[in-house]
Amino acid sequence: MMRFLLRLLGYIIIAAGFVSLVIDGARSIANSSLQYTQSGLVLSTLFGERMAAWQPLIERKLHPLLWDPVMVNLLLAPAALIAFLLGFLLLKLGTPPEPKIGILTRR
């Protein structure tokens, strides 16, 4: 059941990444310049004011260097790219394990 939920969530996130890619492509064509939606903008839209509490939480609880070079660059990355990577990761986690070599399970 958990694999099914991981795969379902992976497909939904990949579909959202594709929609974001199409919207960014249409916006880039209309403006004659490359434009993309930053993942930080998407997260601030989804989480609102709670997004501002992430920086002190990550700097205090985990490590200050984790916020500045890592999270800042992830928040500036295109949302479609992050969605594709996260979706494919969830699909990989949701795949059934490979059968062991030499064991016959079906006849």
Side-chain angles (χ1 to χ4, degrees), residues 30-103:
N31 293 331
S32 298
S33 66
L34 181 63
Q35 293 184 346
Y36 59 89
T37 305
Q38 297 176 353
S39 58
L41 179 65
V42 173
L43 289 175
S44 66
T45 303
L46 288 175
F47 295 114
E49 295 298 322
R50 289 179 278 169
M51 179 73 181
W54 285 11
Q55 180 178 1
L57 179 75
I58 290 174
E59 286 179 344
R60 268 193 327 249
K61 300 286 183 179
L62 298 175
H63 198 275
L65 290 177
L66 184 63
W67 176 259
D68 191 15
V70 177
M71 285 301 295
V72 169
N73 289 329
L74 280 177
L75 292 175
L76 293 176
L81 177 68
I82 300 296
F84 284 139
L85 291 176
L86 182 62
F88 285 126
L89 176 70
L90 289 175
L91 285 179
K92 182 67 178 166
L93 289 175
T95 57
E98 294 291 324
K100 298 189 187 306
I101 297 176
I103 297 175

Side-chain angles (χ1 to χ4, degrees), residues 4-17 87-88 90-91:
F4 171 74
L5 291 176
L6 283 173
R7 284 184 290 175
L8 179 69
L9 187 61
Y11 282 125
I12 290 172
I13 291 175
I14 288 174
F88 285 126
L90 289 175
L91 285 179

